[in-house]
Amino acid sequence: MAKTYNRLELDVNKKPNSIITEVQGDSNSRYLDVSLFNNGVPLDLTGHEVKIFMVKPENGGEIWNDGVITNAKEGRCEFLMTAEALSKVGHLQTQISVWKDNTEILSTQVFEIYVTKTLLGNSSVESSNEYGTLVVLFQNLYEAYALMTDMVSSFGKKGAVADARDIATFWQGVEYLAKYMDTDLKGLIEKALANASVQGVLDLIGTSGDNGNTTVFGKLNGMGAIKSIQMIKNNNGFNESDTYSISAVNPTKTFCYLQGCTISYSRGSKIKAYVASATTVKACGDGYGIIYVIEFS
């Protein structure tokens, strides 16, 4: 489609002198190519929006549409002269404004665009208001409402456990779990691991069927937080990059806890352990101790 651009330089602090001429009834072909200045310095439009407001002659209605920023640093933007804007012959009182976060922050002084008469079927041209900016705004509001509805649906509703603990929001639930992990669970595990005997540690950890608050499993069964705990012990010491088989776990919900992992001074590096796959754990470094593989549900 053929397009033509009328160049216009506007200083927000000065009254424009030039008059732009357009032709009645032209459609999707005429644009204003505008450069905005502030006392001769290009107006930086980075992060902003531009809009054009026009009042048609003879009470022909109003135009309020969005523009397109073509070079933000140089303050350059363009506006389509729509068929509605060119529907009436005469002077269009025009003003361009700069917006940020849906708030108008700066406007040019009013200037005129002269629409000349067309000889081609102008009797069929009807004039009415055009508010393209409001259409975009309502579309954005609709999309925001749809997004919020989807988020609420994804979060779901709280259940009996949350009701019993007076948890009303998602972040209250996260805070409750974080506090529990940092206090009750941490204290119970540290108490278990402080025991010198392996059997004493196992007794304090308990089994998956425990209830009450005397073992780790018993404490967590009410929360449903831990699914399984596996123990890896090597009396000959862990070597660099040893691999150990474990019962299948979900690696994204499993971590390794090291107990009594001392350095082998003949080899000199402290051991580390991590879940390498659903069925393996790797030990890195050289030393002695016990690796607990803890999986959360």
Side-chain angles (χ1 to χ4, degrees):
M1 177 181 291
K3 295 182 179 180
T4 181
Y5 292 83
N6 276 315
R7 285 285 290 131
L8 182 63
E9 294 186 353
L10 296 176
D11 196 305
V12 294
N13 294 313
K14 298 178 182 178
K15 176 70 175 178
N17 295 320
S18 58
I19 297 179
I20 300 296
T21 302
E22 306 284 8
V23 178
Q24 180 190 24
D26 283 357
S27 177
N28 295 322
S29 58
R30 293 186 176 272
Y31 291 80
L32 290 183
D33 183 3
V34 181
S35 293
L36 298 176
F37 295 87
N38 180 14
N39 291 325
V41 178
L43 192 64
D44 191 348
L45 299 176
T46 303
H48 294 72
E49 298 174 346
V50 289
K51 304 179 188 294
I52 191 167
F53 185 78
M54 294 179 281
V55 178
K56 292 189 279 187
E58 301 176 2
N59 297 319
E62 299 173 339
I63 303 292
W64 191 29
N65 284 330
D66 290 338
V68 176
I69 295 175
T70 55
N71 190 323
K73 290 294 184 181
E74 294 184 4
R76 195 164 180 176
C77 51
E78 67 178 39
F79 302 88
L80 171 65
M81 299 301 296
T82 64
E84 268 308 330
L86 303 178
S87 62
K88 295 284 288 184
V89 174
H91 292 274
L92 277 170
Q93 299 297 310
T94 308
Q95 189 172 39
I96 292 173
S97 55
V98 180
W99 296 64
K100 186 176 179 62
D101 299 329
N102 292 322
T103 302
E104 182 180 6
I105 60 173
L106 190 64
S107 296
T108 67
Q109 297 190 41
V110 176
F111 60 97
E112 291 184 344
I113 299 174
Y114 182 65
V115 181
T116 63
K117 183 180 179 66
T118 181
L119 298 179
L120 300 175
N122 62 312
S123 59
S124 64
V125 178
E126 295 183 0
S127 179
S128 62
N129 294 323
E130 181 176 73
Y131 298 110
T133 291
L134 293 180
V135 172
V136 174
L137 176 61
F138 286 133
Q139 179 64 29
N140 290 340
L141 289 174
Y142 175 80
E143 291 175 357
Y145 173 77
L147 176 62
M148 292 301 296
T149 301
D150 184 60
M151 289 175 62
V152 171
S153 176
S154 298
F155 269 104
K157 297 181 179 180
K158 65 176 182 176
V161 175
D163 277 334
R165 290 166 173 79
D166 196 26
I167 297 174
T169 68
F170 168 78
W171 287 111
Q172 282 182 341
V174 173
E175 182 74 15
Y176 180 88
L177 180 60
K179 183 179 179 182
Y180 175 80
M181 294 291 293
D182 195 45
T183 55
D184 295 358
L185 178 60
K186 180 180 177 183
L188 196 56
I189 291 178
E190 287 179 346
K191 179 181 177 182
L193 295 177
N195 193 300
S197 70
V198 173
Q199 187 58 49
V201 172
L202 294 177
D203 289 342
L204 287 172
I205 291 176
T207 62
S208 60
D210 285 350
N211 293 310
N213 297 322
T214 59
T215 66
V216 172
F217 267 116
K219 183 74 174 178
L220 294 176
N221 273 338
M223 292 290 296
I226 289 183
K227 183 177 180 181
S228 66
I229 297 179
Q230 302 179 54
M231 181 181 72
I232 301 172
K233 182 179 181 183
N234 189 338
N235 292 326
N236 296 321
F238 297 101
N239 296 310
E240 182 72 27
S241 299
D242 281 349
T243 300
Y244 299 90
S245 296
I246 59 172
S247 298
V249 296
N250 183 343
T252 64
K253 297 183 177 182
T254 306
F255 71 96
C256 294
Y257 191 97
L258 309 180
Q259 187 259 332
C261 292
T262 58
I263 299 173
S264 173
Y265 290 100
S266 62
R267 292 181 294 234
S269 61
K270 206 168 190 177
I271 71 167
K272 301 176 182 178
Y274 64 95
V275 179
S277 71
T279 56
T280 59
V281 166
K282 278 190 176 291
C284 303
D286 299 315
Y288 302 86
I290 300 173
I291 301 173
Y292 292 97
V293 184
I294 303 175
E295 180 187 12
F296 285 80
S297 59

